[in-house]
Structure formats: C-alpha cells, structure tokens
C-alpha cells in the first residue's frame, strides 16, 4: 500500500466529515463522509460557493475572522452535527477555511456529553479552565499558548507573571489540566489574603495539640491537599520573608513539616507561583529572597496586558458574553460596532477582568441582544486621563504620597511603634499598613 492510498484512507474515514473552501468561499475539497451527509456527489459540490452547498454554514466567515470556532451546531437535511471550523493559513496569510465534524452524529455527541456530566469516581472533583479558555490569536498570546503547551509537558516549578486581571490563574489551571497530573488536585492559595499568623498552618498544616484551638487530630495544609497534583501560590510577592525561608526548604527537600510535627511529610507536588509585582526588583530591594526567586523562576510565562493585544478584543468579547449569559441567564449576542470602537480605544488598566465586569454591566443595562456599552452608568473611557495629563499630575501624586507617609510615621511615633494601634488610629487594616510600610520602605 503506497502513501497516497494511506492518506486517502485517513481522509475518507467513516467517522469524520471534512469540507474545505478557498479564500473566495469556493469548495475545493470534500470527503466521502461529508458527501454522504449532503446526499450529493463530489462533482456537484466541488467548485461551488459554500453558501450554495450548505446555506446555513458559517464557514466563509472564518476566512474573514481568521480564528477557529469549536463546538458549533450545523444542521444539514434535518440532521444536527457538532462541528469545528478553522482557517487555513500559509505564512500567516488566510488562504481558506475548513469545517470538520467532531462526532459521527449529534446522538453520539449527546451520549458523550452525558457521560462526561456524570460525577467522577474520584475523591477530588472541581471544574478547571482548559487550554480553550486561553483566548487570543495575537502574536503575544500565541507565544503564551506555545509556552503553556511546553510547560504542561513537565513538572518543573513555574512562575506566571503579569498585571492584575490578565488571567494568570486561567493559565495555571490550563497547564494543569493538560499535564499528566490532570486527575490529581489543583489547589490555589492567595498568599496576600491569609493573615500572617495563620499562613504557616494553612500551607503546611498542623498536628493534634499544636496550639490552643487546634482541631482534634490535626489538619493537613494546602501542600498536602495538593499531593500528586499542583499548588498555585497566587500573589507570591506578598508572602512574608519568614515564610519564604520555609517555602524554599519545601522546594528544595520536597517535604513539609506540619506545625508541631516531629517528622516531615514527603510530597509530590508541582509548584506554580503567580505575581503582578516585579520579584527581581523586590529581591534587589531585599523584600524578597533572591534564592527563592531563582527556585520559582525555573520556567516563566509573562502574560501581556490587554492594551498590548487589543486585536484580541472581538474574540474575548465573544467568549466573555457566552460566559456571562450562562452566569446570569442572559441572551446577549454581541456588541454594536460603535461599542467595539470605543472599547478598542480604551487602555484597560484592569485588563480582561475589567472587560468582563464592563460587559456584564452592559448586558444588565441593555434590553437588546446586541449590546451598547454606552448605556452603562459609569463609563471608564470618559474618566480616563490622557497621557499628557498623567505626566502633569505626577507632582500632585508625590505630594499625596508624602502626606500619607508623614501620617503613618506620626501614628507609629504616637503608639511607640505598635502597628496594630497605629492601624486603628489610621482607620485601616493592619495588613494594609504592613504593605504600605513595605512599599514606602518605612522601617519601624
């Protein structure tokens, strides 16, 4: 059997329908399975516009969009098919598009969906993001996807960096669900949200009687709960220095000591960390351990801010509208062209998280399926300060920060350095005071 025959067997398999068009929408290929669905011959299909062959097929839209769509329903002669359509590219240029069936028919698809919807027979269940949730086709995001695929093939420690709201946890979850650890736990810990006095017991657990109020029988920490799987240390830059020492030991020894324990617990855990701060600069400023930084930064993925990938907005908006519809029971379809122009001109300081919030507001305020973002009460693009004005306001910011610094120092002097009392005097949380002291480099 020659290679040409083998290729024909692959293409004309009895389980998958394939049809392809050129950049003008003319069908240039169709396999036997798809011809059977169409109840037609190759001579009657090839060379004709796709909208004549399958009137309700959106394949030609893919040529203009330039990105893939998965899980769409296509109806042909009263038969519903679950399909994917994606562009055909040569040297980055779209030269056509292809549609393929994902299942032999919708009945099979529904059976598989039903089976997947059944509770898993494992003790650990959760819904995690996958690679499909990494939205974007711009050069920066394609590079992120490439790095994520590589990171999923290994268990090396991973550092995910990027501004707040760029989707660092989505990347971490997607890498986990693509890795060999996908059936094991994925545990997230927000290092900045746990009080310092509880952080060690939360991460490493404690034994029976370790301290007053300790749970009878002890309690496993987040690292033990993640055993066999992955732990994500979110906002790692907020971790206190004394805990950084303990974390470094965990990374080196691959074991944890519960609070009050007399022996360690061996672990097999992949460690990921994420941050929106510059850890390297923090290390230079002696606010983050340099040895821990290099332990965490074995692999690094940096997520670009939304303002650097504005071309991804249509894709993100489409995906986020679907998510919001499911969340609040809405039936939004898209946004108006004028709305898209407005969103493209905005700088998005809150990144994708801000975009999702804004779209949810717009959907709630709109009575139409096509959403007009101008209907939301607070329009952030109207409040945005032009870059020239930002430079002018810098001296004012400096005055405000100096005043804040003076107030903090004054409160600490009046309380003889008691930070808890100083925080109450300033009417702020103690954790907020600690962060301000660190940011302003106030040693007290």
């Amino acid at each position: 059997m020659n290679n040409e025959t083998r290729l024909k067997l692959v293409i004309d398999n009895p389980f998958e329908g394939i049809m392809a068009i050129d950049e003008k929408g003319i069908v240039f290929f169709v396999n036997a399975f798809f011809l059977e669905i169409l109840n037609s011959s190759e001579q009657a299909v090839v060379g004709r516009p796709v909208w004549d062959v399958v009137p309700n097929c959106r394949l030609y839209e893919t040529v203009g969009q330039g990105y893939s769509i998965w899980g769409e329903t296509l109806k042909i002669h009263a038969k519903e098919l679950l399909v994917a359509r994606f562009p055909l590219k040569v040297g980055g240029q779209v030269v056509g598009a292809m549609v393929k069936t994902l299942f032999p028919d919708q009945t099979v698809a529904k059976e598989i969906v039903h089976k997947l919807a059944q509770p898993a027979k494992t003790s650990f269940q959760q819904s995690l993001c996958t690679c499909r949730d990494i939205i974007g086709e711009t050069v920066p995001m394609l590079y992120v996807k490439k790095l994520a695929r590589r990171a999923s093939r290994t268990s090396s420690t991973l550092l995910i960096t990027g501004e707040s709201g760029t989707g660092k946890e989505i990347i971490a979850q997607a890498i986990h669900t693509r890795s060999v650890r996908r059936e094991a736990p994925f545990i997230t810990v927000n290092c900045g949200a746990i009080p310092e006095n509880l952080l060690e017991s939360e991460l490493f657990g404690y034994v029976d009687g370790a301290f007053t109020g300790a749970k009878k029988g002890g309690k496993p920490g987040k690292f033990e709960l993640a055993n066999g799987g992955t732990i994500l240390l979110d906002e790692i830059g907020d971790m206190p220095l004394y805990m950084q020492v303990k974390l470094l030991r965990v990374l080196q020894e691959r074991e944890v000591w519960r609070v009050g324990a007399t022996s360690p617990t061996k672990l097999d855990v992949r460690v990921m960390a994420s941050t929106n701060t510059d850890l390297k600069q923090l290390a230079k400023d002696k606010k983050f351990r340099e040895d821990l930084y290099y332990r965490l930064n074995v692999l690094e993925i940096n997520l670009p801010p939304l303002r650097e990938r504005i071309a991804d907005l249509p894709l993100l908006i489409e995906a986020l509208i679907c998510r919001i519809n499911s969340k609040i029971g809405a039936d939004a379809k898209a946004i108006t062209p004028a709305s898209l122009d407005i969103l493209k001109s905005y700088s998005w300081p809150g990144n994708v998280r801000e975009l999702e919030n804004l779209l949810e507001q717009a959907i709630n305020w709109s009575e139409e399926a096509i959403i007009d973002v101008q209907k939301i009460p607070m329009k952030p693009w109207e409040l945005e300060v032009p870059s020239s004005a930002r430079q002018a306001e810098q001296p004012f910011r400096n005055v405000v920060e100096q005043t804040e610094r003076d107030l903090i120092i004054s409160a600490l002097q009046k309380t003889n350095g008691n930070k808890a009392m100083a925080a109450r005097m300033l009417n702020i949380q103690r954790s907020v005071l600690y962060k301000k002291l660190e940011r302003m480099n106030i040693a007290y």
Side-chain angles (χ1 to χ4, degrees):
M1 184 184 296
N2 59 34
N3 288 338
E4 187 177 342
T5 305
R6 289 192 183 97
L7 183 60
K8 185 170 175 57
L9 286 172
V10 171
I11 293 174
D12 274 335
N13 72 83
F15 305 104
E16 181 182 55
I18 301 171
M19 183 171 65
I21 61 172
D22 62 19
E23 69 274 16
K24 296 179 180 178
I26 306 301
V27 178
F28 68 83
F29 176 83
V30 61
N31 74 346
F33 187 97
F34 215 98
L35 288 171
E36 186 176 339
I37 295 169
L38 293 169
N39 191 24
S40 187
S41 65
E42 186 175 0
Q43 292 76 14
V45 172
V46 174
R48 292 178 62 198
V50 66
W51 47 85
D52 288 345
V53 177
V54 188
N56 59 336
C57 181
R58 301 173 63 188
L59 184 56
Y60 187 55
E61 292 179 22
T62 309
V63 176
Q65 292 167 336
Y67 56 82
S68 306
I69 297 291
W70 288 78
E72 190 174 69
T73 301
L74 177 62
K75 193 171 183 179
I76 302 177
H77 301 323
K79 187 174 187 179
E80 289 188 338
L81 300 157
L82 202 62
V83 301
R85 50 187 172 93
F86 45 90
L88 302 174
K89 297 182 180 181
V90 175
Q93 184 75 27
V94 177
V95 295
M98 183 167 113
V99 62
K100 59 180 266 185
T101 59
L102 300 178
F103 299 97
D105 57 49
Q106 191 76 342
T107 303
V108 175
K110 288 177 179 176
E111 287 179 4
I112 292 174
V113 169
H114 176 73
K115 288 179 180 179
L116 291 174
Q118 300 306 306
K121 296 179 180 179
T122 61
S123 59
F124 187 85
Q125 299 174 15
Q126 60 179 331
S127 177
L128 298 175
C129 295
T130 67
C131 289
R132 291 184 184 179
D133 296 294
I134 306 174
I135 309 297
E137 296 293 333
T138 53
V139 172
M141 284 308 295
L142 290 176
Y143 185 60
V144 165
K145 291 179 182 182
K146 179 181 179 181
L147 293 178
R149 286 193 296 270
R150 289 183 178 178
S152 67
R153 301 171 194 155
T154 177
S155 288
S156 296
T157 305
L158 171 67
L159 179 63
I160 306 171
T161 59
E163 294 180 9
S164 180
T166 49
K168 295 184 288 293
E169 185 166 354
I170 290 175
I171 292 290
Q173 290 185 12
I175 291 171
H176 171 80
T177 55
R178 189 184 171 95
S179 74
V180 295
R181 297 173 180 264
R182 66 180 69 90
E183 301 299 330
F186 178 91
I187 302 293
T188 300
V189 181
N190 188 323
C191 299
I194 302 173
E196 285 190 28
N197 59 328
L198 298 177
L199 190 55
E200 183 174 2
S201 60
E202 279 293 310
L203 285 177
F204 307 139
Y206 56 82
V207 297
D208 192 356
F211 49 82
T212 303
K215 184 179 178 181
K216 186 174 177 61
K219 181 183 175 183
K222 302 296 187 184
F223 271 88
E224 284 187 64
L225 293 174
N227 198 19
T230 304
I231 187 168
L232 172 64
L233 302 173
D234 192 22
E235 301 305 343
I236 189 71
D238 292 337
M239 181 175 280
L241 282 167
Y242 83 94
M243 278 301 298
Q244 293 178 27
V245 179
K246 296 177 184 290
L247 175 60
L248 182 63
R249 186 181 305 152
V250 171
L251 293 174
Q252 290 172 335
E253 308 297 332
R254 294 292 166 176
E255 61 184 24
V256 295
W257 288 76
R258 287 193 183 189
V259 176
T262 56
S263 60
T265 302
K266 286 287 184 184
L267 292 177
D268 171 26
V269 177
R270 182 179 192 178
V271 177
M272 298 183 189
S274 64
T275 181
N276 60 12
T277 57
D278 186 345
L279 291 187
K280 199 167 187 178
Q281 185 59 49
L282 287 181
K284 287 180 181 178
D285 296 339
K286 307 300 181 185
K287 297 175 182 177
F288 196 86
R289 290 186 64 95
E290 190 174 32
D291 47 4
L292 177 58
Y293 168 70
Y294 288 115
R295 277 283 178 182
L296 293 171
N297 194 21
V298 177
L299 301 173
E300 181 179 358
I301 296 177
N302 178 258
L303 291 182
L306 182 52
R307 63 181 173 275
E308 292 180 7
R309 56 184 191 106
I310 289 296
D312 282 330
L313 264 180
L315 278 174
L316 286 165
I317 290 168
E318 183 180 356
L320 290 173
I321 285 177
C322 288
R323 184 190 302 177
I324 295 164
N325 282 343
S326 299
K327 176 183 172 183
I328 66 175
D331 191 28
K333 301 298 182 186
I335 64 172
T336 64
S339 294
L340 182 59
D341 289 339
I342 290 169
L343 300 187
K344 282 183 175 180
S345 66
Y346 183 50
S347 66
W348 298 107
N351 293 296
V352 180
R353 186 183 293 127
E354 183 183 8
L355 173 62
E356 182 171 7
N357 177 272
L358 188 143
L359 288 173
E360 186 169 343
Q361 288 184 60
I363 290 171
N364 276 299
W365 282 101
S366 179
E367 296 179 358
E368 307 293 333
I370 306 300
I371 307 304
D372 182 358
V373 299
Q374 286 283 51
K375 291 185 177 180
I376 66 172
M378 293 293 291
K379 304 172 182 63
W381 49 87
E382 292 181 354
L383 304 174
E384 189 167 29
V385 180
S387 57
S388 58
R390 287 192 208 109
Q391 293 175 0
E393 74 176 11
Q394 191 59 40
F396 174 75
R397 289 179 181 272
N398 293 341
V399 171
V400 171
E401 184 159 332
Q402 185 59 49
T403 303
E404 186 179 27
R405 181 186 178 88
D406 292 343
L407 287 171
I408 290 172
I409 292 173
S410 175
L412 288 168
Q413 289 172 343
K414 289 176 182 177
T415 59
N416 294 318
N418 188 313
K419 295 182 179 65
M421 290 178 64
R424 284 197 293 272
M425 183 180 291
L426 294 165
N427 197 28
I428 60 176
Q429 294 290 328
R430 185 168 53 176
S431 59
V432 173
L433 176 60
Y434 282 130
K435 288 181 180 179
K436 288 182 180 292
L437 292 173
E438 186 176 11
R439 177 171 60 82
M440 297 179 180
N441 200 23
I442 299 174
Y444 219 93

